[in-house]
Amino acid sequence: MNERLKKDLDEMASILDEVKNQGLSYLDHLQHRPTSNTHKISPDTQLPIDGWGTQNTLKYFNETFEKIMVSSSGPKYWGFVTGGTTPASIAGDWLTTIYDQNAFKASGQGDVSAHIEMETIRLLLELFNLPKNLSGGFVSGATMSNVTCLAAARQWIGKQQGKDYAKEGISGPIHVLAALPHSSVLKAMSLLGLGSVNITTIKTNHGHRESMDLQDFEKQILHLSGAPFILISSAGTVNTADFDDFEGIAQLKKKFNFWWHIDAAFGGFASCSKSHRHLVDGWEYADSFTIDCHKWLNVPYENAIFFIKESHKIFQIETFQNSNAPYLENQSGTVDYLNLLPENSRRLKALPVWFALLAYGKSGIQEMVDDSIEHAQFFGDWIEKHSHFELLAPIRLNTVCFTLNDYSDERVTKFLSILNETGKVFMSPTLYREKKGIRAAFVNWRTTSEDVSYVMELMHSLIKKRNFL
Ligand SMILES: *Cc1c(COP(=O)(O)O)cnc(C)c1O
């Protein structure tokens, strides 16, 4: 054994102690650590011939990178849709690393990973109030979840046309319809050979809506003269967290032949909220779902799930099979995970979720979700009343999309960069109906109404500064 490795092995306990203490110190100071940094660094570390050992490496890491880590998992990071990490999810994530299981098998061969994954999927279906006839799997993020679901949908289309696209490659037309898909859907389209520009756009509803106009949807369907197609719908659009009318789509699904996918990356959590669960009414009739766990469930990156109807499993297998006889590969007669999703070897991503679900339960997660919704409402009300700000869309769930009253787009951009440079809060730029806007998304479990009030005061004082006006 290499000398450094041997020494590290002897020092394992003190290494883990140091990491634990450093981790605690980071988490304890999340509130005060800046949300952005202005340091420029140019890493130029050379590969050492003789390693430094873990403790020296940690010291070097702290000197070079640790100082500029921003508090993206803290309570005032409202950029993108960025979740934090709860104690339970950190515990599960640490243990995932320690046990280092490869979650590629099915259960039944002494491999506990699949048991945990299947149980976690079942618990999640219960949390989201989704039917039990969905099967699922863990992937790295909603992007890969969209890829997984759309890959199965692509295979389903092939079946309707008497073809096996997974084997033969795509030869026929694959019609994909969507109103306002997330950018990752376009990436998925490009990755799957469907072409990112090959989406037939459905109109959005009038008013400040980002949801699909069902009349236009039906009109587009009729243009296809009976050809099967894929519908990508949204539970939570990025700018204004708008939801498609799932009950209406479910009605149309009775009349027409299509694969219905829902990108519910963060919006799926509306189903956990007493006051907002109606937003997903009817979603249980969809064929596939994308939901991120590293956003609103507050588990560490990389963590998302997909759900696909059990009856569509064959399309998953035909697409992702890593062997010619996936059913025969193990004695349990079930299909190994590596034949059901993109990755072969995988870490046990289910464990941090399993910990979070059991540690906080249905009511804990409901409260986490409702708190975020309340913060968005509180912040949105303030924006609406403030003479210098203006809401760009009503608050539907957990995001606030706003701009500056009577200011040019350049001013909006300038304000956001001044605000983010304070390091006290972080929000994202956006474009809403050709107007420059700012977006705040609430998903972090640590955020309190005091945090929101603090940011309001900060924004008020910045806009009052003479040099800004
Ligand atoms: C965040 C998001 C995605 C992409 O998720 P990743 O986890 O970044 O891969 C897809 N769709 C929606 C609606 C999202 O909010």
Side-chain angles (χ1 to χ4, degrees):
M1 186 186 284
N2 170 274
E3 202 183 302
R4 293 289 184 195
L5 276 166
K6 171 83 178 63
K7 191 157 175 285
D8 263 10
L9 185 58
D10 294 340
E11 290 170 358
M12 184 70 100
S14 49
I15 290 171
L16 291 187
D17 261 349
E18 259 183 68
V19 169
K20 183 196 80 176
N21 292 336
Q22 178 162 336
L24 267 180
S25 147
Y26 171 80
L27 294 170
D28 284 348
H29 293 95
L30 265 180
Q31 182 67 256
H32 307 292
R33 187 177 275 252
T35 48
S36 64
N37 78 68
T38 45
H39 301 272
K40 292 254 178 312
I41 58 158
S42 37
D44 59 355
T45 314
Q46 306 291 308
L47 178 67
I49 301 293
D50 295 318
W52 304 339
T54 301
Q55 276 166 331
N56 289 328
T57 305
L58 179 62
K59 226 176 264 156
Y60 180 71
F61 166 78
N62 288 343
E63 283 157 17
T64 38
F65 296 118
E66 206 284 334
K67 296 177 291 206
I68 56 171
M69 291 273 176
V70 298
S71 65
S72 54
S73 55
K76 295 198 293 314
Y77 197 93
W78 304 344
F80 316 102
V81 182
T82 309
T85 51
T86 56
S89 70
I90 291 174
D93 201 67
W94 277 14
L95 291 178
T96 299
T97 295
I98 301 286
Y99 286 103
D100 195 26
Q101 306 285 297
N102 188 350
F104 71 96
K105 284 197 227 158
S107 53
Q109 299 176 312
D111 188 277
V112 73
S113 306
H115 284 295
I116 296 175
E117 183 145 349
M118 284 175 192
E119 174 159 285
T120 311
I121 297 287
R122 186 169 52 70
L123 297 172
L124 281 170
L125 289 174
E126 216 175 298
L127 175 75
F128 297 128
N129 226 349
L130 280 169
K132 291 196 180 68
N133 66 351
L134 292 167
S135 64
F138 281 85
V139 287
S140 56
T143 304
M144 276 317 287
S145 177
N146 280 330
V147 168
T148 308
C149 294
L150 295 178
R154 180 185 65 177
Q155 189 67 2
W156 172 85
I157 291 264
K159 175 83 172 178
Q160 314 301 301
Q161 301 168 342
K163 291 171 178 162
D164 183 340
Y165 288 150
K167 267 205 183 118
E168 301 151 7
I170 301 169
S171 54
I174 300 188
H175 303 290
V176 179
L177 278 61
L180 260 183
H182 185 265
S183 52
S184 67
V185 166
L186 307 188
K187 188 190 263 201
M189 296 276 293
S190 112
L191 199 54
L192 292 167
L194 303 174
S196 59
V197 298
N198 294 332
I199 292 185
T200 304
T201 306
I202 303 165
K203 284 187 189 144
T204 49
N205 285 311
H206 290 298
H208 284 284
R209 299 301 305 266
E210 291 188 310
S211 55
M212 84 171 68
D213 173 341
L214 288 190
Q215 275 182 350
D216 189 57
F217 176 39
E218 190 159 0
K219 211 165 88 190
Q220 305 281 0
I221 298 178
L222 296 174
H223 281 319
L224 295 175
S225 320
F229 66 94
I230 300 168
L231 171 71
I232 299 169
S233 65
S234 295
T237 53
V238 173
N239 266 336
T240 71
D242 208 349
F243 286 68
D244 290 326
D245 171 2
F246 299 137
E247 283 179 327
I249 295 173
Q251 286 305 317
L252 290 169
K253 195 159 157 61
K254 287 184 192 156
K255 268 169 62 183
F256 301 103
N257 186 27
F258 61 95
W259 178 292
W260 176 14
H261 174 64
I262 303 180
D263 182 349
F266 67 92
F269 284 87
S271 65
C272 305
S273 156
K274 272 213 179 87
S275 55
H276 285 67
R277 67 172 51 135
H278 62 275
L279 291 170
V280 296
D281 280 352
W283 75 330
E284 63 271 21
Y285 299 105
D287 296 287
S288 60
F289 302 76
T290 283
I291 303 181
D292 249 331
C293 299
H294 58 214
K295 287 178 180 162
W296 220 341
L297 192 58
N298 283 267
V299 307
Y301 292 107
E302 309 164 344
N303 208 311
I305 37 158
F306 64 84
F307 295 126
I308 297 179
K309 265 198 187 145
E310 194 79 54
S311 56
H312 290 320
K313 201 168 224 166
I314 185 65
F315 306 116
Q316 260 177 280
I317 296 170
E318 285 172 357
T319 305
F320 296 112
Q321 61 189 352
N322 192 57
S323 65
N324 290 328
Y327 281 104
L328 304 177
E329 290 282 296
N330 65 55
Q331 294 122 12
S332 68
T334 44
V335 184
D336 288 330
Y337 262 113
L338 84 169
N339 295 307
L340 291 170
L341 41 68
E343 294 99 341
N344 283 354
S345 299
R346 271 184 322 147
R347 77 195 252 111
L348 180 44
K349 292 180 196 295
L351 197 56
V353 175
W354 186 88
F355 264 81
L357 293 177
L358 296 186
Y360 308 121
K362 213 166 178 162
S363 71
I365 291 157
Q366 179 188 317
E367 205 170 315
M368 192 161 86
V369 168
D370 281 334
D371 281 352
S372 301
I373 296 173
E374 247 173 61
H375 298 325
Q377 199 65 55
F378 180 39
F379 185 60
D381 287 346
W382 179 80
I383 290 282
E384 198 168 17
K385 288 193 194 109
H386 198 286
S387 57
H388 289 294
F389 298 109
E390 174 192 358
L391 277 184
L392 283 174
I395 313 300
R396 298 198 176 87
L397 191 66
N398 63 328
T399 62
V400 180
C401 187
F402 67 100
T403 191
L404 269 68
N405 251 335
D406 305 325
Y407 288 105
S408 64
D409 280 359
E410 292 70 43
R411 269 341 225 179
V412 177
T413 305
K414 173 105 186 287
F415 177 78
L416 179 60
S417 77
I418 292 173
L419 182 65
N420 284 345
E421 268 168 28
T422 63
K424 304 289 188 197
V425 64
F426 197 89
M427 300 183 199
S428 302
T430 193
L431 201 63
Y432 180 73
R433 300 189 185 238
E434 264 114 73
K435 174 104 192 90
K436 267 263 187 254
I438 299 174
R439 197 176 53 101
F442 296 87
V443 284
N444 192 298
W445 68 285
R446 289 177 182 266
T447 310
T448 62
S449 49
E450 286 76 40
D451 291 317
V452 182
S453 297
Y454 174 89
V455 172
M456 291 170 181
E457 268 168 44
L458 176 68
M459 288 170 67
H460 185 73
S461 72
L462 285 180
I463 201 127
K464 287 289 170 199
K465 275 200 178 144
R466 228 175 313 143
N467 63 354
F468 184 75
L469 290 169

